[in-house]
Amino acid sequence: MAYYYRETPEDRLEEKTWLPYIVFAVVTAILSWPIITTLSNWGIRDWDLFTTLHASVVRSIVEYGQFPFWNPYIGGGNILFAHPEVPVLNPVVLLYLVFGPLIGLKIQLLLAYYCGFIGTYKLARAFGISIYGSYIPPLVFMLSSYFALHFSAGHIPFHYFAALPWLVFVYKKSLDNPWYILWMSAITAFMILGSGAAVPVVFSLFFLFLFSLFDLSERNRFWPPLYAIAGGVGGVLIAAVKFLPMADYLSRHPWVPDGTVMTTPLSLLPTMLFNFNQSMFSGYAQGYVWGWHEYGAYLGPLAVILVAIGLLFAFKRTWSFLVLAVFSLLLVLGSFASWAPWELLHKLPAFESMRVPSRFIILALFALAFIAGIGLDRLIALFKFRRGAMTILFFIAIAGTHLLVSLPILGEAFTREAEQPEIQADFRQIQGDPNRMYAAFLANEGTVRAAWLSAYRGGRGIFDGQEMQEWYSEGEFVQVIDREFSPNRLVFHVRTAAGGQLVVGQGYDPGWRRADDGAIKEFHDLLSFRVYPHDERIELYYRPDYFAVGLIVSIVSALLAIAAPIVYRKLSS
């Protein structure tokens, strides 16, 4: 008896390769409804923060004609290009430049859904799941409330989890054709150069490595994990222009969250996976550390039935996915014991800054999605129903229930009416409201009291009671006649009789330099420099350390990645 439905040559001949693109375009179009109907509205929670971050990139390029190295608008001045959650040298930036940051991010959200659907379908086919069963994993994975909740909460970096199925797909291809390692590197670089250099890249490469271990016995060779590692390393090299400045900054300012001993109660798992109401504002997580958007991950009973069928009747095909799912769920439970995977993981580089163990449930969903696809194949083989009819039945049932769960969540995301603040002629810092940073940005103001952000230091500025100052003279008197402002460049026209020290209301970073090669020092975490009697014009500019080195490494790595297969083919012919 077959463990699962095996495709016949007739099935492959009848396969309509264009059909998944149409089907999942329709599903994405349905998901777009709550976004299209609130297109001009602002987002809630972290949408304000990430809209401001991405808008800072656009303003630097469009209004000032500068490469977006520095962000003066958040926390008194912070890194921008080197930030792990800000895209600059990534194709998605074109969306913000063409449509503006707010609508561009909404389009990116929908593209993430669509790319995730197609990537998961193609990976299911690569796993040997039939043209029928392959329609199920994209629904179970991408239509889980996990994505809708994080997207609605404004977790823009989570868009890059849509690249996970593509990463595993090209890895599978590389086992038969090692040149696909370059595609692994390209996808990894895409994520790093985007806003996925934090959680999505670390999670995805971690899952890929775990997945590759199961190919050791199947391939009877040691090279599958080496291929996975090579793909990750290659991605870092191609993205070195961003990775090196980012790594330098994070090494100087390591962020290890307080209280990494975190747990997810076992009793919460049924609600996370099966409760039909997954509203962001539900009270299921009341009393826990995080809001519900960090817990919800609707799986649903129909998917579980298919998973059970896959495990019962095709265990040889599904056991590796089961192991990955169980291990991921153990990670979700967090610090329940000294030997818990979460505790052990925190001893590794890059994982020490991780928080919220419930986020690892995405890897369990990913593994269970393919078991569900195999389960449908087995169901078709077991009862010999009409294959197309059964596929349509399960597709409509699962898609329908998951859409009924996800659509209301997406409808909660954009409920803030757009503001039109009065624009200040000259940039200035204000203490501000951490929940209204985008409004301050539009007013040409920088918010010192900014929302939490993983890769920046706390708010920095020159406080004078309730007012903020842009500069002041420390010690001997320095008169600032005029200041020319732009994000990466500050020019001060000064006058002083005896010389003095000028302190500027921008956060200090070693990337700040003087055009005349004079010294810039840190003074209470702000920029400070000496002004001499003969000085009339002092220009400061910002460029992160290791940018030039990273750019050279990226260019060389990209050229080698392009040239290597071409040269190989010519030498082989």
Side-chain angles (χ1 to χ4, degrees):
M1 180 180 293
Y3 285 105
Y4 59 98
Y5 174 73
R6 296 185 182 276
E7 285 184 340
T8 65
E10 290 75 16
D11 288 331
R12 287 189 286 273
L13 286 173
E14 294 176 3
E15 181 180 5
K16 299 176 178 62
T17 55
W18 50 265
L19 187 59
Y21 295 92
I22 301 298
V23 169
F24 291 112
V26 172
V27 177
T28 305
I30 296 172
L31 284 167
S32 72
W33 179 250
I35 297 171
I36 291 174
T37 53
T38 56
L39 199 59
S40 62
N41 284 10
W42 294 1
I44 63 172
R45 294 186 181 267
D46 286 1
W47 272 97
D48 189 77
L49 166 63
F50 281 99
T51 304
T52 306
L53 281 171
H54 291 71
S56 301
V57 173
V58 174
R59 178 173 287 177
S60 290
I61 297 171
V62 174
E63 296 185 24
Y64 292 99
Q66 294 181 347
F67 192 86
F69 283 130
W70 184 255
N71 185 357
Y73 303 101
I74 294 181
N78 281 278
I79 58 172
L80 187 60
F81 173 71
H83 195 286
E85 296 172 335
V86 177
V88 176
L89 296 175
N90 184 296
V92 300
V93 175
L94 294 174
L95 292 174
Y96 322 138
L97 295 175
V98 174
F99 299 101
L102 181 65
I103 295 178
L105 283 169
K106 293 180 179 182
I107 295 172
Q108 179 181 302
L109 185 158
L110 296 174
L111 287 176
Y113 265 120
Y114 185 67
C115 291
F117 286 137
I118 299 301
T120 309
Y121 176 88
K122 291 179 74 68
L123 179 57
R125 296 292 289 131
F127 282 146
I129 301 176
S130 75
I131 58 175
Y132 309 105
S134 291
Y135 281 94
I136 300 303
L139 302 179
V140 176
F141 179 54
M142 290 301 301
L143 275 186
S144 168
S145 61
Y146 182 98
F147 284 100
L149 285 165
H150 283 285
F151 289 177
S152 295
H155 292 180
I156 304 303
F158 281 61
H159 292 183
Y160 286 79
F161 271 122
L164 174 58
W166 290 98
L167 189 65
V168 181
F169 173 72
V170 294
Y171 158 76
K172 291 293 290 181
K173 290 282 191 181
S174 74
L175 297 181
D176 296 316
N177 182 354
W179 288 114
Y180 274 92
I181 293 174
L182 298 177
W183 282 107
M184 270 194 284
S185 299
I187 293 172
T188 303
F190 174 82
M191 297 170 75
I192 294 173
L193 293 172
S195 54
V199 174
V201 164
V202 175
F203 277 39
S204 298
L205 292 178
F206 175 66
F207 180 89
L208 182 64
F209 178 75
L210 293 179
F211 184 83
S212 70
L213 297 178
F214 292 97
D215 286 320
L216 287 171
S217 58
E218 182 180 333
R219 297 277 171 167
N220 200 27
R221 294 183 181 179
F222 62 86
W223 40 260
L226 296 181
Y227 280 15
I229 293 171
V233 171
V236 169
L237 291 174
I238 294 173
V241 62
K242 180 181 178 72
F243 184 85
L244 291 183
M246 178 183 70
D248 170 62
Y249 183 89
L250 294 177
S251 67
R252 287 186 285 108
H253 306 288
W255 183 77
V256 179
D258 296 331
T260 53
V261 181
M262 305 172 185
T263 58
T264 303
L266 183 62
S267 60
L268 196 61
L269 278 178
T271 306
M272 292 168 63
L273 295 170
F274 300 113
N275 196 299
F276 193 75
N277 177 14
Q278 296 274 327
S279 169
M280 284 182 58
F281 305 107
S282 64
Y284 309 133
Q286 192 169 4
Y288 299 135
V289 178
W290 315 108
W292 184 247
H293 60 280
E294 296 285 13
Y295 294 100
Y298 183 75
L299 180 63
L302 285 175
V304 170
I305 291 171
L306 291 179
V307 168
I309 292 171
L311 292 174
L312 286 172
F313 296 101
F315 189 74
K316 289 183 179 179
R317 294 273 332 273
T318 57
W319 73 272
S320 58
F321 293 111
L322 176 63
V323 172
L324 289 170
V326 171
F327 180 72
S328 300
L329 289 173
L330 287 174
L331 283 170
V332 167
L333 296 178
S335 304
F336 60 85
S338 59
W339 53 267
W342 173 260
E343 284 290 317
L344 301 176
L345 207 60
H346 265 273
K347 302 182 186 303
L348 300 177
F351 288 96
E352 61 185 3
S353 64
M354 290 294 171
R355 63 192 187 108
V356 199
S358 57
R359 290 178 175 179
F360 274 97
I361 203 165
I362 189 174
L363 304 184
L365 291 170
F366 189 65
L368 293 172
F370 296 102
I371 300 178
I374 295 171
L376 180 59
D377 278 357
R378 179 57 188 145
L379 200 61
I380 291 172
L382 190 65
F383 291 101
K384 303 186 184 303
F385 288 145
R386 293 186 60 185
R387 300 183 292 272
M390 179 170 283
T391 302
I392 293 172
L393 177 65
F394 271 92
F395 184 93
I396 291 176
I398 294 176
T401 53
H402 280 63
L403 284 169
L404 287 174
V405 170
S406 292
L407 284 171
I409 300 171
L410 293 174
E412 296 171 338
F414 304 106
T415 55
R416 290 181 59 188
E417 294 289 335
E419 301 180 35
Q420 294 180 335
E422 181 181 352
I423 300 174
Q424 304 296 320
D426 295 321
F427 171 81
R428 67 178 184 178
Q429 298 281 7
I430 61 171
Q431 293 190 42
D433 181 347
N435 298 310
R436 298 188 65 252
M437 290 187 297
Y438 188 51
F441 170 86
L442 293 178
N444 199 26
E445 296 172 333
T447 308
V448 175
R449 292 179 59 248
W452 173 89
L453 189 62
S454 59
Y456 81 15
R457 293 138 79 185
R460 305 173 277 183
I462 302 172
F463 293 84
D464 182 14
Q466 295 299 315
E467 297 296 323
M468 300 289 300
Q469 295 184 30
E470 296 303 312
W471 61 81
Y472 78 96
S473 179
E474 175 70 16
E476 299 89 346
F477 181 72
V478 177
Q479 180 183 5
V480 176
I481 300 171
D482 188 26
R483 179 200 64 170
E484 300 172 28
F485 168 84
S486 62
N488 293 342
R489 179 177 165 274
L490 298 171
V491 177
F492 292 91
H493 298 270
V494 297
R495 181 185 301 140
T496 180
Q501 198 78 8
L502 194 66
V503 180
V504 179
Q506 281 289 322
Y508 174 81
D509 187 89
W512 278 104
R513 297 167 173 85
R514 284 179 58 160
D516 59 5
D517 294 326
I520 295 179
K521 297 182 179 180
E522 180 179 4
F523 185 82
H524 295 291
D525 213 14
L526 296 171
L527 299 177
S528 175
F529 55 90
R530 185 75 182 173
V531 180
Y532 295 96
H534 63 271
D535 288 330
E536 296 181 354
R537 180 183 184 276
I538 298 176
E539 179 181 342
L540 313 180
Y541 67 94
Y542 180 81
R543 185 178 68 242
D545 292 338
Y546 298 101
F547 173 78
V549 174
L551 181 61
I552 293 171
V553 174
S554 289
I555 292 173
V556 171
S557 300
L559 290 176
L560 287 175
I562 295 170
I566 298 173
V567 172
Y568 178 80
R569 289 192 190 98
K570 287 185 176 181
L571 293 176
S572 300
S573 60

